[in-house]
Amino acid sequence: MAGTTEAAAAFAEIPTTTLADVLGREQVMGMGIRPLWSPVPRVAGPAFTVRCPPGDNLMLHAAIHRAHHGAVIVVESGDLDHALAGGNVCAVAQRRGVAAFVADGLIRDLTEVREMGFPVFARGVIPFPGCKKAVEPLNAPVRCGGVAVHPGDIVVADEEGIVIVPSVRTQDALTAARAKLAKEAGETLDTWERAHRARIDEILRAQGFEG
């Protein structure tokens, strides 16, 4: 757990745009899952995964009492007719040290969530809650925002989007992201512009563009 916590802290310094460049499109959640209040801080933490059948939120409510400190609870739902959680659920999660919710679904009580400063990335809000009947395994592989998420994968989320770093690629991704950021930090806009124009012009010539 200590290694995972250290990795998450390191990834909190990496923008999702950089991680997207390093990891590729398949690790980036769809644009429909977005921060529900702004400005939201960047969060990074190991995934604690939850699956909720349509219309049911039991396992998310169970997860807030079981997720470890610093975890990002990632929810597979796909239901856009019922809220997965509300203000009290978010407040308890925050009090227990959960870093954020990333949910392929909806919440409610957004004013409360915004005022407490709890990061929630979801598809939106609806006032009607789901029921609590369906038992599903916790910390099993899920699919959220079009991305496969396994327990312990590193979730990095900010105002640009959500990127999932597979646990088996953590060190390589971190090394590549840091190298990219270091290179960009030492590059002036003039240098970038010259290189950019040369690259674009080369592509255009290869496609037969004249002008």
Side-chain angles (χ1 to χ4, degrees):
M1 185 64 66
T4 302
T5 302
E6 292 170 3
F11 276 105
E13 304 299 320
I14 310 294
T16 55
T17 48
T18 301
L19 289 172
D21 290 343
V22 167
L23 291 169
R25 179 64 185 87
E26 65 274 10
Q27 296 307 127
V28 180
M29 289 193 185
M31 62 173 290
I33 301 181
R34 61 193 187 279
L36 295 188
W37 54 268
S38 182
V40 69
R42 182 179 302 124
V43 297
F48 187 98
T49 56
V50 179
R51 182 179 294 111
C52 291
D56 199 288
N57 60 27
L58 174 63
M59 297 316 296
L60 174 55
H61 288 237
I64 65 170
H65 302 290
R66 291 162 175 79
H68 51 267
H69 190 280
V72 176
I73 294 181
V74 179
V75 189
E76 176 184 324
S77 171
D79 173 28
L80 300 181
D81 295 312
H82 305 82
L84 290 164
N88 284 343
V89 170
C90 292
V92 170
Q94 184 183 53
R95 185 164 65 180
R96 298 198 68 255
V98 171
F101 286 169
V102 173
D104 202 337
L106 310 174
I107 70 159
R108 68 179 192 168
D109 302 330
L110 179 57
T111 299
E112 294 177 32
V113 175
R114 181 173 54 241
E115 288 176 350
M116 73 179 72
F118 183 66
V120 176
F121 300 78
R123 291 195 178 272
V125 295
I126 195 169
F128 192 72
C131 63
K132 296 169 182 61
K133 296 179 180 179
V135 174
E136 295 277 347
L138 290 172
N139 260 343
V142 299
R143 193 162 187 85
C144 184
V147 179
V149 186
H150 293 78
D153 288 350
I154 301 297
V155 184
V156 186
D158 60 22
E159 62 184 2
E160 300 281 353
I162 305 110
V163 179
I164 302 300
V165 184
S167 57
V168 296
R169 299 176 65 183
T170 299
Q171 191 55 56
D172 289 345
L174 186 59
T175 299
R178 283 173 168 168
K180 181 175 173 59
L181 288 173
K183 179 182 177 182
E184 292 172 349
E187 185 178 53
T188 67
L189 181 58
D190 288 342
T191 301
W192 184 90
E193 182 182 4
R194 286 193 297 270
H196 179 260
R197 172 140 193 190
R199 182 167 65 92
I200 296 303
D201 287 350
E202 181 180 356
I203 295 170
L204 291 173
R205 284 194 299 272
Q207 298 295 328
F209 178 82
E210 297 180 5

Coordinates of all heavy atoms in Angstrom, one line a residue, residues 64 67-72 90-100 118:
I64 N -18.0 3.3 0.5 CA -17.4 4.5 1.2 C -16.9 4.1 2.6 O -16.1 4.8 3.2 CB -18.4 5.7 1.3 CG1 -19.6 5.3 2.1 CG2 -18.8 6.1 -0.1 CD1 -20.5 6.4 2.5
A67 N -13.4 1.6 1.3 CA -12.2 2.1 0.5 C -11.2 2.7 1.5 O -11.5 3.3 2.5 CB -12.7 3.2 -0.4
H68 N -9.9 2.5 1.2 CA -8.8 3.0 2.0 C -8.6 4.5 1.8 O -9.0 5.0 0.8 CB -7.6 2.2 1.8 CG -7.2 2.1 0.3 ND1 -7.6 1.0 -0.5 CD2 -6.4 2.9 -0.4 CE1 -7.1 1.2 -1.7 NE2 -6.4 2.3 -1.7
H69 N -7.9 5.1 2.7 CA -7.5 6.5 2.6 C -6.7 6.8 1.4 O -5.8 6.1 1.0 CB -6.7 6.9 3.9 CG -6.5 8.3 4.0 ND1 -5.5 9.0 3.3 CD2 -7.1 9.2 4.8 CE1 -5.6 10.3 3.7 NE2 -6.5 10.5 4.6
G70 N -7.1 7.8 0.7 CA -6.5 8.2 -0.6 C -7.0 7.6 -1.8 O -6.6 7.9 -2.9
A71 N -7.9 6.6 -1.7 CA -8.5 5.9 -2.9 C -9.4 6.8 -3.7 O -10.0 7.7 -3.1 CB -9.2 4.7 -2.5
V72 N -9.4 6.6 -5.0 CA -10.4 7.2 -5.8 C -11.5 6.1 -6.1 O -11.1 5.0 -6.7 CB -9.8 7.7 -7.2 CG1 -10.9 8.2 -8.1 CG2 -8.8 8.8 -6.9
C90 N -21.1 11.7 0.0 CA -19.9 12.3 -0.3 C -19.2 12.9 0.9 O -17.9 12.8 1.1 CB -20.1 13.5 -1.3 SG -20.6 13.0 -2.9
A91 N -19.9 13.3 1.9 CA -19.3 13.9 3.1 C -18.7 12.8 3.9 O -17.6 13.0 4.5 CB -20.4 14.5 4.0
V92 N -19.3 11.6 4.0 CA -18.7 10.5 4.7 C -17.4 10.0 4.0 O -16.4 9.7 4.6 CB -19.7 9.3 4.9 CG1 -19.0 8.1 5.5 CG2 -20.8 9.8 5.8
A93 N -17.5 9.9 2.7 CA -16.3 9.5 1.9 C -15.2 10.5 2.1 O -14.0 10.1 2.4 CB -16.7 9.5 0.4
Q94 N -15.5 11.8 2.1 CA -14.4 12.8 2.3 C -13.9 12.7 3.7 O -12.6 12.7 3.9 CB -15.0 14.2 2.1 CG -14.0 15.3 2.2 CD -14.7 16.7 2.1 OE1 -15.7 17.0 2.7 NE2 -14.2 17.5 1.1
R95 N -14.7 12.5 4.7 CA -14.3 12.4 6.1 C -13.4 11.1 6.3 O -12.4 11.2 7.1 CB -15.5 12.3 7.0 CG -15.1 12.3 8.5 CD -16.3 12.6 9.4 NE -17.3 11.6 9.3 CZ -18.5 11.7 10.0 NH1 -18.7 12.8 10.8 NH2 -19.4 10.8 9.9
R96 N -13.6 10.1 5.5 CA -12.8 8.9 5.7 C -11.6 8.9 4.8 O -10.8 7.9 4.8 CB -13.7 7.6 5.3 CG -14.9 7.4 6.2 CD -15.4 6.0 6.2 NE -14.4 5.1 6.7 CZ -13.7 4.3 6.0 NH1 -13.8 4.3 4.6 NH2 -12.9 3.4 6.5
G97 N -11.4 10.0 4.1 CA -10.1 10.2 3.3 C -10.2 9.7 1.9 O -9.1 9.7 1.2
V98 N -11.4 9.4 1.4 CA -11.5 9.1 -0.1 C -11.1 10.3 -0.9 O -11.6 11.4 -0.5 CB -12.9 8.6 -0.4 CG1 -13.1 8.5 -1.9 CG2 -13.2 7.3 0.3
A99 N -10.3 10.2 -1.9 CA -9.8 11.3 -2.6 C -10.9 11.9 -3.6 O -10.9 13.2 -3.8 CB -8.6 11.0 -3.4
A100 N -11.7 11.1 -4.2 CA -12.7 11.6 -5.2 C -13.6 10.4 -5.6 O -13.3 9.2 -5.3 CB -12.0 12.1 -6.4
F118 N -15.6 18.4 -2.2 CA -15.3 17.0 -2.5 C -15.3 16.8 -4.0 O -16.3 17.0 -4.7 CB -16.3 16.1 -1.9 CG -16.0 14.6 -2.1 CD1 -14.9 14.0 -1.5 CD2 -16.8 13.8 -2.8 CE1 -14.6 12.7 -1.7 CE2 -16.6 12.5 -3.0 CZ -15.4 11.9 -2.5

